[in-house]
Amino acid sequence: MSIGVAIIGSGIFVTEQHLPAVKASSNLTLKAIYSRSLKSATALNAGVDLYSDDSGSGKTYHDLLLRDDIQAVILALPILTQPEFIEAALVAGKHVLSEKPIAGDVKRAEQLIEFYKSDKVKAGATWAVAENFRFLDSFVFGKKEVEKLGRVLGFRTTMFTHVKLGGKYIETEWRKKPAYQGGFLLDGGVHFTAATRMLLGDSAKPTSLTAYTHLLQKHLPPVDTVDSIWQTKSGISGTFSVSFGTSLSGSAYTVACEKGTVTVNRGKVTVTLVEGDKTTETDFSDEGSGVKQEVLAWAQSLVDGKPLGTQSPEEALIDLELLEKMLRSGEQNGKAQTLQY
């Protein structure tokens, strides 16, 4: 079975990730591309029908949605633009895989989920939210290792980099002058909240937090750095530190358990056991970005008729709420925030 799919968007992530991922799936056949301009759609050189806002009659996004040979769409648009495209696709009866974050803020995300559950959506249409970190081989392996080592005692997430002017992502206009909260902390940060939650599992689900936020680089407004403490339902706490504007570098996700620790770096998992102080390293240097894995999994879920829980809008809402509550705490000089979801 091959599902006709259209890609909505023509930016960097579509070029480098979504196009190759769709081509790698035997369950998907690319039928069309939509972009705001015909020029950007043409630049993809995808060899399929093109739609854009400036292509004239019969070539708009809504015209694309009328095609019976297109059963699904992958959406990779600016954060604040995406929700209306999600709603239109669901009303047209198309399956949707939309890029993270689910929306620009929790309120809009809640509205989207309410819409998805309403009778406005054509029966059978499903909505998944992409989060490629949940499909990275290193994190999938790391989660299984954490589960072997008993009760979680603590955790530490660090992700440090410096997004400099001239880089391919910062020079995207909607990222350079963000109209949404958090800037890069929201856009990239939901990856890190998702990955941390994945490793912790349900027993150490975060329930409240405090945070301080800072702007270290004036070209990364409104803030580019967050340092936070999370409290979990099991009573233990841990730290989450992310900066897009520091001279520090590197990332690591460490979970301490009764029988040992697990540290996930992109491409490598290190497990150290308490008994015997034995350390093992497992290499995942060829895992890629995780996008190919998540698109393949989404396509298979459409074939099977069973949406994946790891791609549910509700999971994406939790990732977003964590970021939003850290931003609110930072604005209030570290005031504690309770997590609803």
Side-chain angles (χ1 to χ4, degrees):
M1 176 182 180
S2 185
I3 297 163
V5 66
I7 295 178
I8 313 304
S10 60
I12 298 166
F13 212 67
V14 168
T15 304
E16 297 182 354
Q17 303 294 338
H18 287 303
L19 265 178
V22 169
K23 291 177 180 178
S25 174
S26 60
N27 290 322
L28 298 175
T29 300
L30 185 64
K31 297 288 187 178
I33 298 284
Y34 163 86
S35 184
R36 285 176 296 176
S37 72
L38 181 59
K39 180 181 179 180
S40 59
T42 303
L44 290 176
N45 195 29
V48 295
D49 296 336
L50 303 180
Y51 292 77
S52 68
D53 293 346
D54 59 0
S55 287
S57 178
K59 287 292 184 177
T60 68
Y61 174 60
H62 293 282
D63 292 313
L64 181 154
L65 294 178
L66 293 174
R67 286 178 53 167
D68 292 333
D69 63 335
I70 295 175
Q71 293 89 39
V73 295
I74 296 175
L75 288 162
L77 297 170
I79 293 170
L80 298 183
T81 302
Q82 203 156 248
E84 63 186 84
F85 282 78
I86 294 170
E87 291 174 342
L90 291 171
V91 169
K94 309 302 182 185
H95 300 293
V96 175
L97 176 65
S98 63
E99 264 302 332
K100 59 78 205 163
I102 180 174
D105 55 58
V106 167
K107 182 178 179 181
R108 186 68 178 100
E110 290 171 333
Q111 292 170 347
L112 272 173
I113 291 174
E114 184 178 350
F115 181 91
Y116 178 45
K117 294 178 179 179
S118 74
D119 57 9
K120 296 176 183 177
V121 173
K122 193 169 182 179
T126 61
W127 174 31
V129 181
E131 178 42 70
N132 49 302
F133 274 43
R134 279 194 256 271
F135 292 86
L136 281 166
D137 302 330
S138 55
F139 283 99
V140 172
F141 179 82
K143 176 180 174 59
K144 292 176 181 177
E145 292 301 300
V146 168
E147 291 170 349
K148 296 177 185 178
L149 297 180
R151 183 168 57 96
V152 174
L153 304 179
F155 60 95
R156 178 177 65 242
T157 292
T158 56
M159 203 301 298
F160 300 126
T161 190
H162 184 185
V163 176
K164 299 177 181 179
L165 286 171
K168 62 182 179 182
Y169 287 113
I170 185 63
E171 293 302 330
T172 315
E173 192 60 30
W174 62 273
R175 288 190 178 98
K176 201 168 186 177
K177 298 178 181 178
Y180 49 88
Q181 61 180 342
F184 270 82
L185 282 180
L186 177 72
D187 191 12
V190 289
H191 285 311
F192 317 135
T193 58
T196 304
R197 290 179 50 236
M198 179 177 177
L199 294 175
L200 291 176
D202 187 62
S203 64
K205 177 181 177 180
T207 55
S208 63
L209 59 82
T210 62
Y212 290 94
T213 54
H214 313 278
L215 178 63
L216 302 180
Q217 305 294 336
K218 62 181 181 180
H219 66 276
L220 297 173
V223 289
D224 57 22
T225 300
V226 61
D227 294 295
S228 181
I229 297 175
W230 297 3
Q231 185 77 12
T232 72
K233 74 175 187 179
S234 63
I236 63 98
S237 61
T239 60
F240 179 94
S241 296
V242 171
S243 179
F244 288 90
T246 182
S247 54
L248 294 169
S249 63
S251 67
Y253 301 75
T254 299
V255 179
C257 306
E258 289 178 303
K259 300 177 184 177
T261 63
V262 177
T263 297
V264 180
N265 301 98
R266 287 290 296 274
K268 183 176 72 173
V269 178
T270 304
V271 178
T272 301
L273 301 180
V274 171
E275 186 176 346
D277 196 28
K278 180 182 178 182
T279 297
T280 59
E281 290 186 354
T282 306
D283 179 70
F284 294 96
S285 56
D286 61 349
E287 66 182 348
S289 67
V291 173
K292 184 177 291 184
Q293 295 96 310
E294 76 173 349
V295 170
L296 291 174
W298 173 64
Q300 188 62 52
S301 76
L302 296 182
V303 172
D304 296 340
K306 298 178 181 179
L308 298 175
T310 49
Q311 294 181 328
S312 72
E314 289 79 9
E315 283 292 320
L317 173 59
I318 299 172
D319 300 336
L320 173 60
E321 185 194 21
L322 277 161
L323 253 301
E324 183 166 297
K325 288 297 177 71
M326 284 188 279
L327 293 172
R328 295 295 87 77
S329 180
E331 291 167 357
Q332 299 171 57
N333 199 33
K335 183 178 179 181
Q337 304 286 314
T338 299
L339 297 165
Q340 178 181 348
Y341 295 106

